[in-house]
Every structure is written in structure tokens, then in C-alpha cells.
Amino acid sequence: MGKRQDRGQPRYRQLADVLIGDISRGRLKVGETLPGELELVERFNVSRHTVREALRRLDDLGLIDRQQGVGTVVRARRSSPSYVQTVRSPSELMRYPADSRLVVTGAVQVRANRQLARLLDVRTGSEWLKVSALRRLKSQPVAIAWTDVYLLPEYGDIVPHIGRRGQLVYQLIEAMHGERVDHIRVQIRAGVVTQELAGPLEAPIGMPSLTVIRHYHGRGHRPFEISVSEHPSDRYLYSLDLQRGWQSSDTWTTQ
Amino acid sequence: MGKRQDRGQPRYRQLADVLIGDISRGRLKVGETLPGELELVERFNVSRHTVREALRRLDDLGLIDRQQGVGTVVRARRSSPSYVQTVRSPSELMRYPADSRLVVTGAVQVRANRQLARLLDVRTGSEWLKVSALRRLKSQPVAIAWTDVYLLPEYGDIVPHIGRRGQLVYQLIEAMHGERVDHIRVQIRAGVVTQELAGPLEAPIGMPSLTVIRHYHGRGHRPFEISVSEHPSDRYLYSLDLQRGWQSSDTWTTQ
DNA sequence: AACCTAGATTTGTCCGGACATTTGGCACTC
DNA sequence: GAGTGCCAAATGTCCGGACAAATCTAGGTT
């Protein structure tokens, strides 16, 4: 009873997963109040600290709103028109639509010249395996993205497996090579559809687009996958919903 | 010890502010290892739980990297070329360059038609005070932004004070009306410089630009300030540096 | 009806302690 | 010299308890 046995997951994580499951399956509906901390303590036979650790995780994920004296309620999901994807927590910037698929169109080993090195923020001359792919949305055929995935050459054997439903590239690397993701950086930049991209993106030249660059780092900030996605979009693409992490202005704004 | 008058602030917050101050003032340099948790316990005469709460805050702010068995080190700041602004934590998306100034060019009360209501995500027909302003960077005269700030009409008396160095609009509202910011949402969308914006932005028509929309909410998610900024930029504008908030794919991707 | 107050409820803060897990370095062996 | 095993150090997890602060509700008062 006291020992961990659920896949080595800590108990607060197990509890969080249970609650996340209840929310995603609709057993806890939007706006509904979660059981109080003390009730969760009794129900799951853990300490209040563990309960709060789990709830903090749900808070970090943007799933709940907490208020002293009131309680914890399931946060509303914002309904969004097509193209618009609301991100409630930073981690969601790493996710892709569930009904999308990546189709590899080619792979080639490249050496980072100055321009590429600057784009990827890697050393000039370093070797990378460049995997080009298209991401298509089934439900929204117009939404498409061009993606170049830069991998450490030693991970070339995962290329045939890219495109598996629900598996991101870094997850493949994690599964097949044990390289654990320790740090992710996401960049967004504005641009326009260039002549080279107009074809694959099925978008007119000059149409505004967003470039999303994802850096996946392992231990010691060693980058092992860098994915560069071009999204043609005249609409808003990402939004970030924040609630935590305030800092007082006097200690910070002088930086 | 706590010679600073931080009454009313929780102790973990006071400790966090001390550490943030040490980092920002260079007393703790990048890459340097912070004192261990137990040492901080002794030095500040608080429990380890309080120390961890403070360190969690620094982690949320993206100031430190923690690793079990190793310790806590000050995270490196990424140097960025002009125009590029690297954001290490979500809260930084709310900050503006310290050497910028907002110049109000006009204010008018408007009623949200359907288009504006959709842009701002507010009710059609609601009344807003639209304050137009320019943000200029002194050190980088080319970097300029056009900002429309939509306020609840009742806050009209803050308009003359907009532009005060280091004060954001929501901070003025907080200071003068006691409306506390409880929730912030940041949106980013891609676009091009339109004819109407080409003049004020000093940018050619058709140049790619980023629109950043910031929603400031009070209690109960009541929006009281919405700022819409147009940044002419053919380069990357915001990046988000993430390290926390992982979620397992099996519980989440089906959403 | 409008206002106020007391109590119950809920989350926030803080303390003390204990053991687990990860990592790096040191002494040791071969 | 290279590998091995052990130990110390550091963060991670988890428990128990206590009081504070914010909020809501019910009841009483005006």
C-alpha cells in the first residue's frame, strides 16, 4: 500500500493522472468543483501535501482554477474557430492536432552552414540529418504545414517510423534510443510563404505564415532534434494562457 | 536577515525575491551553483518546504535549472540578435523592453461591432475605451509597434498617465483603481502590414508582421484591459523556453 | 429589504521529520 | 590506467500537523 508500484510513477503523479482522466472523459465537467483537498486525502489515502502536488500539476497544465475559500473548478476550454488553437499551458505548445499525420518526403544529411546554424542555434559545421515532411490535417485539409526535422545523424534509424499516429519524433527517439527529453524551447516567428514553399504548402506566395521552431534537448542541453515548421496562416495560430508565474516589477524590470 | 519590509508577503516569496535579486545583481552568476536547500534552510531560518517553494518559483520563472543529485544552478541567458527576444518563462511574454516608451496618440470610446468583438473575444455591443499609442525603442529606432489598448470606460482617468516609464497600463489600473490582475492571456498571430498601419509603423505595405494580443483579466475572468500590438518584423519575435509541465501522451493527445 | 456578523468551508502558508532516487567523486581492484 | 563499488551530497517524494486568509452561507439585526 505504501510502496510505489504503478510503473514507478510518484503518487502525486498517479493522482494527477486520475484527475486528468476524469476531466478528459467528462466525468468532471467544465465549471464543476473538484472534491476538496481533504476529501481527496481520504479518498486516495495520501497526505494533503501529495494532493496539493497533484493539483499543482493540474494547475500547471491549465486544467483547473483554484481560489482560496472557494475551491477548485475545472477550467473552461475556449472554443476556437479553425486554425485557431488555444494553448492553456506552455506544454501544449509542443503538441500537434491529434488528427494530423506526418508524411516524410525525403531525408538527407547536411552540414550546417552559417545561415542554418543561426536558424537552428547550433554550431556551424555540425552534421544533421534533415528529414523533410508534410503535416496534414484530415478534418481540415486546408491546414497543412511543412516541416524540416533536423536530427543527430545517429538517430537515422527512426526515419522509417516517422508518421506513426500519435507519436512525435522525439518520442520515437526516446523509445528507440532512450534519449530523454529534458528541455524544450519553442520559437515563433512571422514570415511569408516563399516561392519554394508555395507548392508544398498549397498556399499563395506572399501569404503570411508562422514559423515554429522546436528544439528538443537532452541532458546538459544537448540538442538532438530540431523541428522547423512553416504554417501558412492568415489567422492567429498560438495563444498562451497564463495564470501563474508573476514577478514583482521592482525586482525584475531592470534586467 | 529579513530586514526588508516585506510584511504581507509570504516567506517563500520573500526568499525567492532575495534569490532573484542576487541573480539579477550578478551576485549569483550564470552557471553558478546555488546554496543547497539545507543550507538555505539554516541561513534563512525557514523550513525546507518553504525553501523548495521559493526555488519552485525561480524554476517557474526560468531562472534556474535543478537536477537531482547535482544541485541548482543559475540558468544561462540566451544572447539574442536585435528584434529577437527570448522568453524564458511565460510571464515574460507580458513584459516590454525597459527602454521603450508608449506615446498616446488618441483616445475614443467605441462600441464593439462583430469584427472587433471577435478580435478581442468580448461581447458584441460592449463599450470600450480605445487608446491608440505608439511604442518606440530608443536604442533601436527601427523597432516600433502600434498598440491599441482597449479599456473598460470606467478606467478612462488613467489615460493621461499612460507612458510613464516602467509602468504598464494594467499596473496603472491596479494602482489607481485597485483592480488586481488575476489572469492574462497572450495571443500571437501572423499578418502583413496593411495600408492603414504602414504609416504609423514606418514599414512597407505587405511586410510580415506579428500581432500580439494581451488580455488582462480580473477576478472571475472579467476582462478590463485588452492590448493589441502590431509589430513589424520579418524576424522571430517571441520564443518560449519551456522546461516544466510535461504530460504523458496517452492521457492527453485524445483531447 | 438591506445590512451585518459569526461560523463553516476551502485553499494558502509553514513547520518538522523521514526515506528514496540520482549523481559525482573517491578509494579500491585488476 | 581502466574499470568497479561504495559513499556522500543533493534534490525528489511523502507523511503528519497547525494556523492563516479568503470566501460563502446562514442567521440575526436594523
Side-chain angles (χ1 to χ4, degrees):
Chain A
M1 187 181 321
K3 279 284 185 174
R4 291 206 218 139
Q5 45 183 210
D6 194 349
R7 302 187 303 271
Q9 289 273 51
R11 302 179 81 165
Y12 79 90
R13 181 66 181 266
Q14 297 176 37
L15 173 54
D17 286 345
V18 168
L19 295 174
I20 290 173
D22 284 349
I23 292 173
S24 65
R25 289 181 188 84
R27 287 183 47 178
L28 285 171
K29 292 170 186 169
V30 170
E32 200 169 334
T33 302
L34 268 73
E37 296 178 354
L38 294 180
E39 187 180 337
L40 290 174
V41 164
E42 278 198 16
R43 191 184 297 181
F44 290 91
N45 198 30
V46 294
S47 74
R48 184 163 170 242
H49 174 73
T50 303
V51 168
R52 286 181 61 78
E53 206 71 28
L55 291 177
R56 190 198 301 262
R57 177 169 166 77
L58 265 68
D59 201 359
D60 284 345
L61 295 176
L63 296 175
I64 57 175
D65 282 316
R66 321 192 65 189
Q67 199 175 353
Q68 190 174 164
V70 180
T72 303
V73 299
V74 179
R75 190 188 288 184
R77 273 169 290 200
R78 192 168 298 271
S79 65
S80 304
S82 75
Y83 262 132
V84 179
Q85 179 184 358
T86 297
V87 182
R88 305 216 148 278
S89 70
S91 57
E92 291 189 42
L93 277 174
M94 293 164 276
R95 290 172 38 221
Y96 290 96
D99 56 349
S100 70
R101 221 182 47 171
L102 209 59
V103 183
V104 176
T105 59
V108 59
Q109 184 144 353
V110 297
R111 201 148 169 275
N113 58 19
R114 187 167 305 183
Q115 186 183 5
L116 182 61
R118 195 175 148 195
L119 174 71
L120 300 182
D121 196 15
V122 298
R123 263 198 294 277
T124 307
S126 54
E127 293 283 340
W128 291 88
L129 184 65
K130 172 182 174 180
V131 180
S132 299
L134 281 174
R135 176 173 296 277
R136 287 178 176 276
L137 286 185
K138 286 189 176 177
S139 58
Q140 298 166 31
V142 72
I144 192 174
W146 176 271
T147 301
D148 281 335
V149 182
Y150 294 86
L151 301 173
L152 289 184
E154 60 206 77
Y155 297 146
D157 56 346
I158 73 153
V159 174
H161 300 89
I162 292 178
R164 277 187 51 190
R165 174 183 165 79
Q167 285 245 316
L168 300 183
V169 173
Y170 79 87
Q171 291 174 328
L172 286 172
I173 295 174
E174 192 169 330
M176 297 176 63
H177 287 89
E179 174 70 79
R180 273 175 48 191
V181 171
D182 198 53
H183 188 90
I184 289 184
R185 196 170 77 244
V186 180
Q187 295 184 335
I188 306 173
R189 68 158 66 172
V192 291
V193 174
T194 59
Q195 188 173 14
E196 300 81 44
L197 285 175
L201 287 179
E202 300 172 8
I205 295 176
M207 180 177 178
S209 73
L210 284 185
T211 303
V212 180
I213 306 180
R214 291 174 173 80
H215 293 247
Y216 297 89
H217 297 251
R219 288 297 167 89
H221 287 247
R222 189 177 74 110
F224 63 86
E225 179 203 333
I226 304 173
S227 116
V228 181
S229 297
E230 298 273 354
H231 299 256
S233 165
D234 60 348
R235 304 197 61 78
Y236 154 75
L237 182 66
Y238 285 113
S239 106
L240 184 60
D241 199 336
L242 309 166
Q243 192 163 26
R244 302 177 61 251
W246 276 101
Q247 49 203 357
S248 55
S249 58
D250 59 302
T251 58
W252 195 244
T253 49
T254 54
Q255 274 243 12
Chain B
M1 282 309 150
K3 61 180 70 169
R4 249 190 80 172
Q5 303 292 339
D6 274 327
R7 279 193 305 264
Q9 287 275 57
R11 303 180 80 165
Y12 78 90
R13 181 66 182 266
Q14 298 177 35
L15 173 53
D17 286 345
V18 168
L19 295 174
I20 289 173
D22 284 348
I23 292 173
S24 65
R25 289 183 187 84
R27 288 185 46 179
L28 285 170
K29 291 171 186 171
V30 169
E32 200 169 334
T33 302
L34 269 71
E37 295 178 354
L38 295 181
E39 188 181 337
L40 291 174
V41 164
E42 278 199 16
R43 189 184 299 182
F44 290 92
N45 197 30
V46 294
S47 74
R48 184 163 170 240
H49 174 73
T50 302
V51 168
R52 286 182 62 78
E53 206 71 29
L55 290 176
R56 189 196 304 261
R57 177 170 167 77
L58 265 67
D59 201 359
D60 285 345
L61 295 177
L63 296 176
I64 56 174
D65 282 317
R66 321 191 64 190
Q67 199 176 351
Q68 190 175 164
V70 179
T72 303
V73 299
V74 179
R75 191 188 286 184
R77 273 169 290 199
R78 194 167 298 272
S79 65
S80 304
S82 74
Y83 263 132
V84 179
Q85 180 182 0
T86 298
V87 182
R88 306 217 148 276
S89 69
S91 57
E92 291 190 42
L93 276 175
M94 292 164 277
R95 290 173 36 222
Y96 290 96
D99 56 348
S100 71
R101 220 182 47 168
L102 209 58
V103 183
V104 175
T105 59
V108 60
Q109 183 143 355
V110 296
R111 202 150 168 273
N113 58 20
R114 188 168 306 181
Q115 187 183 3
L116 182 61
R118 195 173 149 198
L119 173 71
L120 299 183
D121 196 15
V122 297
R123 264 197 295 277
T124 307
S126 54
E127 293 283 341
W128 291 88
L129 184 66
K130 174 183 174 181
V131 180
S132 299
L134 283 174
R135 176 173 296 277
R136 288 178 175 278
L137 286 184
K138 288 189 177 176
S139 60
Q140 299 166 29
V142 71
I144 191 173
W146 176 270
T147 301
D148 281 336
V149 182
Y150 293 86
L151 300 173
L152 289 182
E154 61 207 75
Y155 297 145
D157 58 346
I158 73 153
V159 173
H161 299 90
I162 292 178
R164 277 187 51 190
R165 174 183 165 79
Q167 285 244 313
L168 300 184
V169 174
Y170 79 88
Q171 292 174 328
L172 286 172
I173 296 174
E174 194 169 329
M176 297 177 62
H177 291 271
E179 175 70 78
R180 273 175 48 191
V181 171
D182 198 51
H183 188 89
I184 290 184
R185 196 169 78 244
V186 180
Q187 297 183 334
I188 307 174
R189 67 158 65 174
V192 291
V193 173
T194 59
Q195 188 172 15
E196 300 80 45
L197 285 175
L201 286 179
E202 301 173 8
I205 296 176
M207 179 179 179
S209 72
L210 282 186
T211 303
V212 180
I213 306 179
R214 292 174 171 81
H215 293 246
Y216 296 88
H217 298 251
R219 287 299 167 88
H221 286 247
R222 188 177 75 109
F224 64 85
E225 181 204 331
I226 304 172
S227 117
V228 181
S229 297
E230 299 273 354
H231 298 257
S233 167
D234 59 347
R235 305 197 59 79
Y236 153 76
L237 183 65
Y238 285 111
S239 104
L240 185 60
D241 198 337
L242 309 166
Q243 190 163 26
R244 302 177 62 251
W246 276 101
Q247 50 204 356
S248 56
S249 59
D250 56 304
T251 57
W252 195 244
T253 50
T254 54
Q255 276 244 14

